Amino acid sequence: MLDRHFAFDVNSGSAFEINSLTSLLIENKNLLLNKTEEGFLDLKIKQIQDQISLFPPDQTKSALAEIDQLIDEGVLFSKDLSVQMPNFSGQVKALCLNITHKCNLKCAYCFAGGGGYDGNYGAEQADKSQNLSQHMTIEQSKAAVDFLIKKSGNRKNLEIDFFGGEPLLNFDTVKKTVAYAKKIENEQGKNFKFTITTNAYALTDDHIDFFNKQMDNVVISIDGRQCTHDQARPDTKNNPTYQKTVKNALNFVHKRKSNPDKSKRLYYIRGTFTSQNMDFATDCLHLADLGFDQISLEPVVLPLNNPLALTDDHLQTLKDQYEILLTEILKRNNTDRHFDFFHFNIDLKGGPCLKKRLSGCGVGGEYLCISPRGSIYPCHRFDNDKKYLMGNVLHQANDQKIESIKSSIVSYFSSSNLLTKKHCQDCFAKFLCSGGCAANNIEYGGHIDGLHKVSCELMKKRAECAIVLAIDLIQ
């Protein structure tokens, strides 16, 4: 990549920048040692040897010695991990509270169908879905907090994400939910962390002050340039929203960065790119030039008959955009124009534990969603899908023990992991990806161990860029 050579060892997670000779030797190590499938052509070996002969013999000898040393150290050609996926402990650690199904925007690609979560996509569904929209009450949100505490077992650190719809439309319940959780966390031996996702269209100074006191992370939705954003994210009356959204978001970020509580400085600007803005690197750089230094742009996932959908035909263009973005990030490092791109962040020295790499986000087990009606679903993408209804936090027995979540759905999700996904086994990025989004796999791959090809291909490209960036930052 970028006219440079890199090697990444899948099982150990080790990454190296190498020269062209070392690249040639590594790629053909087994072949040169005759550890090949029977019948491999001698001509192929001769071709490789002819290429190697172009380098000085002492350089080749030195490179081979270094490769052998890395093999001995277990960081190159490392052995496959002999692991078994541990059983789900039954402990829930995080809830997404769909605090409302109502929204003040009408996004063209909305997976929630304008708020109805009825399996439809896009702005045209918004008006049709309002009969299904409603706010979560404080009684329902308190029941959700109680449910999380009871289902978390001895786990101390718990997470609650406020989602929607647009959470600011039910902000009083957000505030009261946080206050309730904070009030009881010490007596329950828990520590809550909160995240909120907002489109910032109705964001006020009062909201910002609350965020900076209580929210450990804040995600704000902006798609990039004005033309990109206004085309995809009008309000419910089809008015443009870019100017107001950016003004509010910049006000928030200015205050967030100067927050005296350093633990409350995390935020992300989160955008979506579609077939209408496949030059999304330009959108990302636009956001960075506005002053946002924590950015995430996600590929839209839509049925192929949707004009905004990304297809196989778009892949090379999108992959090129990631390289354009990486090149600019490398230029800006160690300058006042530096910014972080969420999908290029990996930790080569630590990172998630092996269980986390195998299981992914914990959907349907450690991570659940609560709808405004108190219904329990595997995650927000399954809200209002009766096939995945797991119970309700309001259904409690007389002894105050909350009803058990539906075990068959828990088993369905917990039985799926990186080891059960056949298409992942030979992928270099498998421990960086964990097999992709379960909702996408089910909807577009046919089953939970299926594959959404576009997401998979783009994930691999992001992983390559992330490895290059991580190596540069270490150097």
Side-chain angles (χ1 to χ4, degrees):
M1 184 183 290
L2 308 181
D3 295 322
R4 297 157 63 187
H5 297 271
F6 302 90
F8 179 68
D9 188 70
V10 177
N11 294 316
S12 69
S14 304
F16 310 90
E17 182 164 10
I18 56 180
N19 59 27
S20 58
L21 170 61
T22 308
S23 177
L24 180 65
L25 294 172
I26 288 176
E27 287 188 20
N28 296 283
K29 178 71 173 174
N30 289 340
L31 183 61
L32 291 168
L33 293 177
N34 293 321
K35 296 177 180 176
T36 62
E37 295 180 14
E38 187 176 353
F40 226 113
L41 295 177
D42 291 339
L43 176 61
K44 176 66 175 175
I45 298 176
K46 185 178 185 308
Q47 288 174 341
I48 297 166
Q49 290 171 336
D50 288 344
Q51 293 178 59
I52 294 173
S53 68
L54 299 176
F55 297 89
D58 58 337
Q59 189 177 346
T60 301
K61 183 178 180 180
S62 175
L64 284 170
E66 187 171 0
I67 291 171
D68 287 338
Q69 180 182 346
L70 294 174
I71 293 173
D72 290 341
E73 292 174 358
V75 295
L76 194 61
F77 293 103
S78 58
K79 296 179 180 179
D80 288 340
L81 299 175
S82 178
V83 294
Q84 287 185 332
M85 186 64 199
N87 294 327
F88 171 53
S89 67
Q91 295 181 354
V92 181
K93 71 173 184 180
L95 290 183
C96 172
L97 300 189
N98 270 357
I99 206 75
T100 180
H101 278 175
K102 291 184 178 293
C103 192
N104 50 3
L105 299 191
K106 211 160 71 167
C107 298
Y109 46 70
C110 181
F111 71 84
Y117 283 83
D118 52 8
N120 293 301
Y121 292 86
E124 72 277 4
Q125 296 298 328
D127 296 330
K128 302 176 185 178
S129 301
Q130 290 306 306
N131 62 323
L132 293 172
S133 300
Q134 66 181 76
H135 290 333
M136 182 180 288
T137 66
I138 184 57
E139 289 74 23
Q140 291 164 330
S141 69
K142 283 183 177 180
V145 173
D146 293 340
F147 169 82
L148 178 57
I149 289 173
K150 290 180 180 294
K151 291 298 181 182
S152 63
N154 60 4
R155 185 185 291 272
K156 179 177 177 63
N157 295 314
L158 306 177
E159 300 173 19
I160 292 179
D161 300 341
F162 295 100
F163 201 70
E166 172 48 51
L168 296 187
L169 299 182
N170 191 18
F171 193 60
D172 186 59
T173 298
V174 172
K175 292 192 294 184
K176 289 179 178 178
T177 304
V178 170
Y180 176 71
K182 286 291 186 182
K183 179 181 178 181
I184 64 174
E185 66 177 354
N186 288 336
E187 65 185 59
Q188 297 292 337
K190 306 296 181 181
N191 176 51
F192 285 98
K193 289 190 174 184
F194 303 99
T195 296
I196 192 166
T197 297
T198 174
N199 59 43
Y201 191 52
L203 190 67
T204 67
D205 287 338
D206 288 341
H207 295 138
I208 294 171
D209 290 343
F210 180 82
F211 289 176
N212 287 340
K213 288 179 182 177
Q214 303 293 356
M215 293 294 157
D216 297 272
N217 191 12
V218 178
V219 182
I220 293 180
S221 300
I222 307 175
D223 278 0
R225 294 160 292 179
Q226 183 167 359
C227 58
T228 299
H229 183 93
D230 282 343
Q231 183 180 28
R233 301 179 65 82
D235 70 10
T236 53
K237 296 181 180 179
N238 291 318
N239 296 313
T241 62
Y242 172 88
Q243 294 286 356
K244 186 176 179 181
T245 298
V246 168
K247 179 182 178 181
N248 292 343
L250 286 172
N251 181 34
F252 160 75
V253 169
H254 173 73
K255 294 181 178 180
R256 187 74 169 179
K257 288 181 179 179
S258 59
N259 193 343
D261 184 351
K262 294 182 179 180
S263 69
K264 300 293 192 293
R265 291 184 181 176
L266 183 61
Y267 79 94
Y268 271 100
I269 302 300
R270 194 268 189 215
T272 300
F273 60 86
T274 72
S275 64
Q276 301 303 302
N277 65 312
M278 290 193 291
D279 58 340
F280 68 87
T282 307
D283 285 303
C284 185
L285 296 175
H286 171 79
L287 292 170
D289 290 338
L290 287 175
F292 301 116
D293 60 359
Q294 307 291 326
I295 303 171
S296 168
L297 284 182
E298 309 267 359
V300 75
V301 178
L302 289 169
L304 292 179
N305 61 0
N306 190 303
L308 299 180
L310 298 172
T311 70
D312 292 355
D313 292 339
H314 300 143
L315 282 172
Q316 190 55 55
T317 298
L318 299 174
K319 290 178 180 181
D320 291 343
Q321 287 292 301
Y322 281 119
E323 288 202 23
I324 291 170
L325 191 54
L326 173 63
T327 300
E328 187 63 25
I329 289 174
L330 292 173
K331 288 180 182 177
R332 295 187 183 203
N333 272 342
N334 300 317
T335 73
D336 59 2
R337 301 177 68 212
H338 165 79
F339 68 95
D340 284 329
F341 185 65
F342 179 80
H343 291 294
F344 288 175
N345 291 336
I346 61 171
D347 184 356
L348 292 177
K349 293 185 175 181
C353 65
L354 181 58
K355 178 185 175 183
K356 186 71 174 176
R357 292 173 189 265
L358 293 173
S359 62
C361 68
V363 56
E366 293 183 338
Y367 172 79
L368 300 170
C369 171
I370 311 298
S371 80
R373 295 170 290 279
S375 299
I376 306 168
Y377 294 96
C379 83
H380 62 282
R381 288 281 300 277
F382 295 96
D383 191 341
N384 206 43
D385 188 334
K386 293 180 180 179
K387 296 191 300 293
Y388 297 99
L389 178 61
M390 303 172 71
N392 193 297
V393 296
L394 294 174
H395 297 167
Q396 300 186 36
N398 293 331
D399 62 357
Q400 299 300 304
K401 290 183 179 179
I402 295 177
E403 180 185 43
S404 297
I405 52 181
K406 195 169 183 179
S407 59
S408 60
I409 297 178
V410 173
S411 297
Y412 177 64
F413 282 91
S414 62
S415 64
S416 174
N417 56 70
L418 195 58
L419 303 178
T420 65
K421 295 176 170 65
K422 294 181 180 179
H423 56 269
C424 294
Q425 301 314 305
D426 295 325
C427 177
F428 82 93
K430 61 183 179 181
F431 293 123
L432 304 178
C433 166
S434 302
C437 170
N440 289 345
N441 292 344
I442 290 171
E443 185 166 359
Y444 299 99
H447 54 91
I448 196 168
D449 287 335
L451 173 69
H452 181 246
K453 182 180 177 181
V454 171
S455 294
C456 176
E457 289 297 315
L458 294 182
M459 175 62 208
K460 287 189 281 189
K461 189 62 183 181
R462 294 197 301 251
E464 290 178 345
C465 293
I467 290 167
V468 174
L469 180 58
I471 287 175
D472 270 46
L473 292 176
I474 291 172
Q475 291 174 344

